[in-house]
Amino acid sequence: MNMQSHGITPERLSNLKRLEAESIHIIREVAAEFSNPVMLYSIGKDSGVMLHLAMKAFYPSKPPFPLLHVDTTWKFRDMIQFRDDTAKRLGLDLLIYTNPEGVQKNINPFDHGSSVHTHIMKTEALKQALDKYGFDAAFGGARRDEEKSRAKERMFSFRNASHGWDPKNQRPELWNLYNARVAKGESIRAFPLSNWTELDIWQYILTENIPMVPLYLAAMRPVVERDGMLIMVDDDRMKLKPGEIIREKRVRFRTLGCYPLTGAIESDADTLPAIVREMLVARTSERQGRLIDKDESASMEKKKREGYF
Amino acid sequence: MTADVKEAAETAVTDYILAQETKDQLRFLTCGSVDDGKSTLIGRLLFDTKLIFEDQLAALERDSRKHGTVGEDIDLALLVDGLEAEREQGITIDVAYRFFATDKRKFIVADTPGHEQYTRNMATGASTADLAVLLVDARNGLLVQTRRHAFIASLLGIRHVVLAINKIDLVEYSQSRFDEIRKEFEVFANGFDFETLQAIPMSARFGDNVTARGQHMDWYAGPTLLEHLETVEVGEHALEAPFRFPVQWVNRPNLDFRGYSGTIASGRVSVGDELVVAGPAKMSRVKTIVGAGGEVPEAAAGEAVTITLEDEIDISRGDLLSTTAHRPDVADQFAAHVIWMSDEPLLPGRPYLLKIGTRTVTATVSEIKHKINVNTFEHVAGKTLELNEIAFCNFALSSAVPFDPYEANRSTGSFILIDRMSNATVGAGMIWFALRRASNIHWQALDVDKGARSEKLGQKPAVLWFTGLSGSGKSTIASIVEKKLHIDGRHTYTLDGDNVRHGLNKDLGFTDVDRVENIRRVGEVARLFTDAGLITLVSFISPFQSERQLARDLMGEGEFIEVFVDTPIEICRQRDPKGLYAKADRGEIKNFTGIDSPYEAPQTPEVHLKNVDREPEDIAEEVIAYLHERGFLGS
């Protein structure tokens, strides 16, 4: 490797190495201190990086915890395919959970709106899954640079027995000494990627060659324009509104979620370097492509208090 | 874009990204209140660096497409207002982390707003920071809070400080005002252990000297804040400290592999190195090191690795692997500074959980020695410790743990305290030194005593304690004295400062704590030799009166003979037998006696040897004469 000197001791760990080491430390600490941890796997690029780090953290062993995907049944088909392939390729336990009441009541983003859908199929479903398996720690791939209420999030974020987050009463976190003590029913959400920025994530994906869902890359895809966003028609459950026309456009996704709630951007970026290039010059913040955060102001903080990741 | 141009642009970006792989990281914290312009400064840094970054990328574009970075209106104030609005809503009384990057480094800023919880929040932010930016309003100069910030930064082991003298525009960009504040701070900061201290006049509001120079301060030749943050060298201490490895997780996928996973707290390790488990002192050699990218021949501080050893020894989470040459302290009692972070006061005697490295034990505060007023640094007495208070306490632990003084090692010298009932993190501690209770050791009564032994040897036991500057001739003279005594049929032994450090004291460094321990051990050994009836010659710089007193106190009445080898420093420097003065002058040795650490000359030594233009033989004779005079050599 070509070491650059900026008047900096070359032996100091580079930014990516330091982030990598910090994340591995956190992942190991959770595995060592909790009796029943789980890694939330949302199939997106951050989850992909987190999983990659978990594989490194325990090599040559496998990570001593399962993956959990909370399936709203509205994820892109490519995501589901990628999820199953990944679990198989790495030989990991994958738990899939869907809120049965939500399915029974046919909760969906079109009839119930993004807010209700997200609450029942994602937030509630997650809580049900954590309770069902009795997990006392759950890894999430959230980053502090994503959104304002994340900036003050802890690496080990304490949740009470009803999964609530109290931003005013967080445990102080000093050095790399994490307090992993919880009473029965309480839990910790652990965020090993807290100090990564979106650029770090892409740099790491590029340098480590981590597989990603193809939806991040531009391709011709059927989309309609709705509420100022380009929504991909991923299956025939999507009902067109009057005046809406399906167009084939060269688009890609900056973040991945439920397809009816995730806006695509028009783009020619069909390789990782092209994405990075596009991202570096883009001004829009990352979650702008997601309907969920637009519904109400300060929505993230509210959701997090209620138990959202 | 044509396909060619697109491909070229992508290649350029790929190259750029891969070049970034060696980009460094700096974590810093900003201290100051709203009025000092802290939010504006952070907003300015975030905003300006983004522009710079985008400009660089635009330059990479082969088709020269404009990206609208100029002229597009993002109001800096909006970004700042966002932070303040959050505060007003009472959402944030806490630590927030913000990020920005340049070509050279990525920066993680710990932003600690709020006044009420200030000590706790600042300590939290400082614990992981390499550097602190202390903001001062140029109109107000140094305030009580500036001192408090400097103190907490120093307490948490931050060695690099930027004094950001902000709002310089409001004092007409005055150089004299800048110099005045800078000098006042330098005098004040003298007592702290800062390695770099950079004062920068700036206007966060207008951007002068934040990321760009501006046109108002031609008189200032130093770096802008960003230039300084990009280039300041930090964090080598962890690399230079002895190897420490808290075992996090035992990696045992099958019977053929048994690895110990963890993050290297300090130092470096190579395949083949001999390691010891602190405490049980079981030893083995490193067989393999698995790094994040696969097997590696060596690894250093900060890296998360898995180590396998040549021998099957019982190691589990919480153990500390260390180099055999410099071992950590292992004790169940120590003294530490504590910052209290809970509404419930700290109560001496109440058991808390103490997490140090990867080990958690039960601990009580056995005594609050004193509290520290963070504004005046005065020591005050106290029975309990309230929220945001800092105190120096003695701790008693349920079992002995390995550690280093915080000053020597931020990783192995720090701990958190957890309430056993609420599970809340209630305190943070920085270990100062181990406490050893002499009362726990019971002396064996012996029939053959000192008197019996010395009678048989025909001499009165004594300790000749040679003190003087490095190069003063202590060892040379002591060696001649010993030869003369030996020829005379006397029973002697010499403890030489340098030699002892190769063996008995090879685990000690040169911190003040270690120097005291060094003297203590040598004093104890000299005492045992005295007990054996020997005449012991000790050749130690021992620059501090208190240390020599400590040694003197260990000996019986009249047995301690302080021999002051009085050689002017100019002559020592000329001799410089080990080239140490030259090194110290180049700054390669810190705390070197006579250069940047004082030598307290003995006021009333038993023997005072003036060593100028004299032969060592003659000087040694003076010592022998003293011993005869005082009856040490009997018949």
Side-chain angles (χ1 to χ4, degrees), chain A residues 241-255:
Chain A
K241 292 179 182 174
E244 283 182 344
I245 309 160
I246 299 178
R247 289 201 176 86
E248 286 283 323
K249 285 195 173 178
R250 185 167 288 279
V251 295
R252 67 177 195 87
F253 296 87
R254 297 189 61 206
T255 67

Side-chain angles (χ1 to χ4, degrees), chain B residues 266-285:
Chain B
S266 64
R268 50 192 79 232
V269 66
S270 303
V271 170
D273 281 1
E274 191 176 40
L275 300 184
V276 59
V277 186
K282 291 171 287 194
M283 285 189 235
S284 186
R285 285 184 188 281

